[in-house]
Amino acid sequence: MAHMDGLIEKLKRQQLMVAVRTETPGDAYNAAMACIEGGTRFIEITFSVPEADNVIKQLCKDKRAFIGAGTVLGVADAKKALKAGASYIVSPNFDEKVVQFTKKEGALSIPGACTPTEIYRAYKAGGDIIKLFPFIEIGGLNFLKALRGPLPFVSYMLCGGATLDNLSGYLAADAAAILIGAAIVRRDLVAAGDWNSITKLAESFAKKVEEYAEAKA
């Protein structure tokens, strides 16, 4: 468990997790490596990527980053992801069996939820961090503010709507993490194989987090 607490602390410091969702395993690997080069330390490979577990296995060889699995909808995929070396399991929904299995295996559980009832149930079931999804559609930062009245003890990950321009507002919300997808792993850049531009985007986001942390200190 100490290992997991350490991982949560690191995530809270880093703030950013990048979700990589591409059509091919090769693109997922290249996009993830581009993000790591740009200073991103938490990379989630979604299970919508073909052979996602193999991509996770390859990426786990790079000790600069913590690799997890996303869009995990059932225990079978959670099993595959953890066997490949994933440190955390992220889902768009809350499935008690997935949370319980993840915890039993000693990995970090990040289920998705979007109503106070779901959020509390996911938390009670053992979710370490609750992913608010889809964040903008359920009310964004105002929704988070309202939630924290009755549920201040839950750690939240904000999933959706964060861009370079509004990132400081997200950082000010002081959530456990901010999940970024297409704002860094842009579809057009993936299609063009322009990994350098993805690295530069990852760098810009990481720099924003650093600057915010320095200004706060």
Side-chain angles (χ1 to χ4, degrees):
M1 193 54 218
H3 162 65
M4 283 306 117
D5 288 345
L7 198 60
I8 293 170
E9 280 317 307
K10 282 192 180 81
L11 180 56
K12 282 181 174 169
R13 270 202 307 278
Q14 288 285 331
Q15 277 291 294
L16 300 179
M17 183 185 286
V18 177
V20 177
R21 188 186 295 280
T22 59
E23 301 291 322
T24 69
D27 281 350
Y29 178 80
N30 288 327
M33 285 308 288
C35 292
I36 294 170
E37 289 300 330
T40 309
R41 295 296 167 249
F42 283 83
I43 307 279
E44 168 206 311
I45 301 296
T46 67
F47 255 68
S48 57
V49 173
E51 299 166 45
D53 51 335
N54 285 335
V55 179
I56 289 168
K57 201 176 193 169
Q58 291 301 313
L59 290 169
C60 283
K61 293 174 185 166
D62 194 312
K63 294 302 168 212
R64 291 173 296 174
F66 300 95
I67 312 299
T71 321
V72 176
L73 301 176
V75 172
D77 280 350
K79 210 172 259 184
K80 267 192 199 167
L82 295 177
K83 197 177 168 201
S87 309
Y88 46 93
I89 298 291
V90 185
S91 302
N93 62 320
F94 163 54
D95 181 322
E96 201 161 351
K97 288 193 180 82
V98 172
V99 173
Q100 285 169 349
F101 175 75
T102 303
K103 299 299 291 172
K104 194 178 93 220
E105 295 297 314
L108 199 61
S109 172
I110 310 178
C114 76
T115 66
T117 301
E118 270 187 341
I119 290 159
Y120 188 65
R121 280 186 58 208
Y123 166 79
K124 287 294 276 185
D128 296 293
I129 295 168
I130 308 305
K131 167 179 157 177
L132 296 179
F133 172 79
F135 188 56
I136 292 299
E137 289 77 0
I138 57 179
L141 295 168
N142 289 333
F143 178 74
L144 176 64
K145 206 186 230 165
L147 261 187
R148 280 189 163 148
L151 303 172
F153 43 80
V154 177
S155 290
Y156 298 104
M157 180 160 82
L158 316 181
C159 176
T163 64
L164 261 183
D165 296 331
N166 67 14
L167 191 63
S168 44
Y170 274 67
L171 291 166
D174 202 24
I178 301 159
L179 188 69
I180 314 270
I184 292 179
V185 185
R186 272 175 35 193
R187 275 166 182 256
D188 57 328
L189 299 177
V190 172
D194 187 353
W195 313 118
N196 276 344
S197 294
I198 291 177
T199 295
K200 287 197 179 83
L201 280 171
E203 268 170 1
S204 321
F205 273 86
K207 194 163 168 254
K208 266 266 164 81
V209 175
E210 265 172 50
E211 284 165 2
Y212 181 83
E214 279 163 17
K216 212 170 121 184

